[in-house]
Amino acid sequence: MRIVFAVFTLVAILIFAIAITTWKSEKAVGFFTGIKPPKVKNVKAYNHAVAKIWFVFAVIFELLGLPFLWIGGDSVYGLIVSIFVMIWALGLIITYLIVEQKYKK
């Protein structure tokens, strides 16, 4: 299960890198793949808000992977984590849509 934790850590690091890139960007960033970013009133504040969403998502994603260091191979925890990750991803999308409405022109 250490491999599963390593995968969780790699994904969290990639999400954290996305957050850093978003934070430093001077142009409005897109959130969804293949969709142009919205026209916003304050680009810097919008990018920082989106980056904060990514930072929080990365930290919680890593925390969800921590128990894989201690559980055995055939554990119900894997199913529980999968459900929590899906719910958290939906929360991520909803949070972004709220941020987008706040900063949209």
Side-chain angles (χ1 to χ4, degrees), residues 34-53:
I35 304 222
K36 292 182 181 180
K39 296 185 189 238
V40 295
K41 303 171 198 168
N42 185 344
V43 173
K44 187 175 182 178
Y46 167 78
N47 284 347
H48 286 187
V50 172
K52 287 176 190 174
I53 294 171

Side-chain angles (χ1 to χ4, degrees), residues 14-25:
L14 289 173
I15 294 169
F16 200 77
I18 290 170
I20 291 171
T21 304
T22 301
W23 188 276
K24 293 182 177 183
S25 181

Side-chain angles (χ1 to χ4, degrees), residues 6 8 28 34 40 42 59 62 70 77 82-83 87 96:
F8 265 78
V40 295
N42 185 344
V59 168
E62 183 66 19
W70 299 286
Y77 183 75
S82 298
I83 292 169
I87 291 169
Y96 170 72

Side-chain angles (χ1 to χ4, degrees), residues 4-85:
V4 175
F5 175 72
V7 170
F8 265 78
T9 301
L10 265 172
V11 172
I13 290 170
L14 289 173
I15 294 169
F16 200 77
I18 290 170
I20 291 171
T21 304
T22 301
W23 188 276
K24 293 182 177 183
S25 181
E26 294 181 10
K27 294 181 180 178
V29 293
F31 187 78
F32 299 109
T33 303
I35 304 222
K36 292 182 181 180
K39 296 185 189 238
V40 295
K41 303 171 198 168
N42 185 344
V43 173
K44 187 175 182 178
Y46 167 78
N47 284 347
H48 286 187
V50 172
K52 287 176 190 174
I53 294 171
W54 285 119
F55 282 129
V56 170
F57 186 73
V59 168
I60 291 178
F61 194 79
E62 183 66 19
L63 291 175
L64 285 172
L66 276 176
F68 282 112
L69 289 174
W70 299 286
I71 63 172
D74 294 332
S75 174
V76 72
Y77 183 75
L79 178 62
I80 294 169
V81 167
S82 298
I83 292 169
F84 277 124
V85 168

